[in-house]
Amino acid sequence: MFDSSNGSDVGSGIEKLHLCKIFRRSIRLVKFPVCYTFLMKIGFFDSGLGGLYLLKAVANRLPKYDYVFLGDTKNLPYGEKSRKQIYNLTGKAIKFLFDRGCLLVIVACNTSSSQALRKIQKEYLPTNFAGRKVLGVIRPTVELISAGDVCVLATTGTVRARAYTRELRKINPKLRVFELPAPELVLLLETGQLGKLKSAVAKYTGLVNDKKVKNLILGCTHYAVIKDQFARGLGRGIKLISQDEIIPVKLADYLGRHPEIENKLSKRKDRKFYVTKLNRDFLLNAKKWFGKKISLELARY
């Protein structure tokens, strides 16, 4: 079951940016605020490519809905930031998505889910955005595990929060849980440093194999992009758990159990994509996953 809750106000005014040729026609500048009467879309938020890859998986399984994606590429990686910074950045991003017509937001960032989501759900949203829903990715991920020791590979921030350990011990207090930080993977992936990325994955799969566990959770949505590399390096008998395979199923289940939300969602197969800073590798991956006609809008908030 998803981590759930409640979430509005921000932007109008879109002006075309004149950037280099590869970005022309791919970017618009979005300012605040805009008011919406109907809240009908599903929002996805992450620091970058991981959330975009997760949205791709969700949209493939649930294609009829309208989606809005926000990648806070200006401030990535989140994994090395303080809890206060993560909370503030996550709150601003959620506010932006509600302003773009979202009734439901998926926080597709494990660092935000582990360090900011609960406070946003319990304190910020009920006061400011009652009736909106925000869901995290950690609880639905751990629900797949009931037995067998677990390694969690994640950002430094996620590991520091120990959220995976807490949630797993709720399911089975006897589980041994090893949370391992992999701080460099996000930037290597975002910047396309494939050689260094391959070496880093080999290092971390070696650490996991040494723990003699039965399960490996990829506790960062970025890592799902390279899950095949992890799978090749793991020892026999280790189950690989990747969120791009879990969240689409869990979201479909959630909407099925909550018709009061599902009935309000628009179903025009519309997709909107926003980033706080454009970079070439992000654009190339977006086009690869969503088609060459994809348009990215630059969001300021």
Side-chain angles (χ1 to χ4, degrees):
M1 184 182 297
F2 272 107
D3 313 292
S4 78
S5 156
N6 305 322
S8 150
D9 144 352
V10 196
S12 82
I14 297 178
E15 57 185 272
K16 298 230 177 170
L17 297 177
H18 299 286
L19 299 179
C20 58
K21 185 175 180 182
I22 188 171
F23 297 144
R24 209 169 287 154
R25 299 178 187 167
S26 296
I27 314 167
R28 286 178 291 168
L29 178 62
V30 182
K31 298 179 180 177
F32 298 80
V34 167
C35 295
Y36 287 85
T37 304
F38 302 103
L39 306 172
M40 295 185 176
K41 301 173 184 177
I42 300 173
F44 271 74
F45 159 66
D46 185 35
S47 62
L49 286 173
L52 188 68
Y53 192 75
L54 183 60
L55 174 56
K56 171 180 173 287
V58 169
N60 284 342
R61 183 179 178 89
L62 303 170
K64 64 183 178 181
Y65 298 106
D66 296 345
Y67 298 97
V68 183
F69 173 80
L70 173 62
D72 189 13
T73 47
K74 181 180 178 179
N75 293 299
L76 69 81
Y78 273 29
E80 305 305 308
K81 298 188 184 318
S82 70
R83 182 180 291 269
K84 182 178 180 180
Q85 287 176 309
I86 293 165
Y87 175 79
N88 289 336
L89 290 169
T90 303
K92 290 177 181 178
I94 289 170
K95 184 178 182 182
F96 176 85
L97 288 169
F98 284 141
D99 277 343
R100 306 320 299 170
C102 295
L103 172 63
L104 170 67
V105 171
I106 309 299
V107 177
C109 173
N110 282 264
T111 304
S112 291
S113 287
S114 65
Q115 297 210 36
L117 180 64
R118 183 170 297 184
K119 185 176 180 181
I120 285 174
Q121 289 177 333
K122 292 184 178 298
E123 299 178 16
Y124 179 67
L125 294 183
T127 301
N128 296 279
F129 306 110
R132 314 287 180 100
K133 300 295 179 182
V134 177
L135 310 176
V137 293
I138 293 178
R139 191 180 301 169
T141 301
V142 302
E143 286 176 346
L144 290 185
I145 296 174
S146 58
D149 295 338
V150 184
C151 262
V152 180
L153 200 62
T155 67
T156 301
T158 300
V159 170
R160 186 169 58 236
R162 307 299 288 174
Y164 272 99
T165 297
R166 287 196 306 273
E167 294 298 328
L168 285 163
R169 293 269 169 78
K170 290 177 185 177
I171 296 171
N172 184 346
K174 296 182 179 180
L175 284 178
R176 287 196 310 155
V177 181
F178 305 95
E179 296 197 46
L180 307 178
E184 72 272 40
L185 292 184
V186 169
L187 273 180
L188 291 177
L189 184 60
E190 289 279 350
T191 54
Q193 299 183 59
L194 302 183
K196 291 182 178 179
L197 190 61
K198 185 176 180 180
S199 298
V201 169
K203 176 182 74 174
Y204 288 116
T205 52
L207 292 175
V208 173
N209 290 337
D210 289 343
K211 296 295 184 182
K212 309 295 182 184
V213 296
K214 294 295 185 183
N215 304 281
L216 169 61
I217 295 175
L218 297 181
C220 173
T221 50
H222 278 78
Y223 303 168
V225 181
I226 50 174
K227 65 181 180 182
D228 289 344
Q229 292 188 39
F230 282 105
R232 286 194 291 269
L234 289 179
R236 292 182 61 182
I238 299 178
K239 180 181 180 181
L240 180 65
I241 299 168
S242 183
Q243 290 172 327
D244 65 308
E245 299 172 8
I246 298 166
I247 302 304
V249 177
K250 293 290 187 177
L251 181 56
D253 175 69
Y254 178 87
L255 294 176
R257 291 184 290 104
H258 292 278
E260 76 281 3
I261 296 173
E262 202 281 335
N263 291 337
K264 295 177 182 177
L265 295 173
S266 53
K267 303 172 178 69
R268 298 168 300 189
K269 300 183 179 180
D270 187 39
R271 283 93 173 97
K272 296 284 187 181
F273 303 89
Y274 299 92
V275 291
T276 53
K277 179 181 179 180
L278 190 76
N279 66 69
R280 182 175 179 273
D281 289 302
F282 190 96
L283 179 60
L284 292 176
N285 278 293
K287 288 181 177 294
K288 180 171 67 175
W289 296 336
F290 288 91
K292 293 182 178 179
K293 294 183 178 180
I294 185 176
S295 175
L296 300 182
E297 299 185 25
L298 189 62
R300 284 184 176 174
Y301 53 86

